[in-house]
Amino acid sequence: MDVRYFMNIRYRGRLIPDPEGDELSNEEAVHGHALDTARDLVFGARMDTIRSWFDCSFEITDEGGRSILVMPFDEVVPESGFGSA
């Protein structure tokens, strides 16, 4: 049975709630889904209210409001990508 998880975004101290959520099979699927979604936002979405997606993190909760995962968006870039020429 799928559970609804809410992919709330924290941006510079402000929480932007996810009003709809996403249905996923289990908590293990949450991290992969968060990475995929963050990657889509970082490399594809443009918003006037968010200047840099790398200043964001997901604060993911379940239907009961329990915190499942906090994931900074910079996780979409491999560590080896920083500082390389």
Side-chain angles (χ1 to χ4, degrees), residues 7-56:
M7 314 286 286
N8 308 298
I9 295 175
R10 173 78 57 189
Y11 174 63
R12 296 184 178 176
R14 188 173 135 224
L15 187 66
I16 303 166
D18 174 2
E20 298 175 16
D22 294 297
E23 288 191 11
L24 301 168
S25 58
N26 56 46
E27 287 184 19
E28 290 75 35
V30 171
H31 188 261
H33 181 67
L35 275 174
D36 289 343
T37 304
R39 192 174 293 114
D40 289 346
L41 292 170
V42 166
F43 298 114
R46 300 289 177 252
M47 290 180 67
D48 291 335
T49 56
I50 297 179
R51 300 282 181 216
S52 172
W53 287 107
F54 292 113
D55 291 338
C56 296

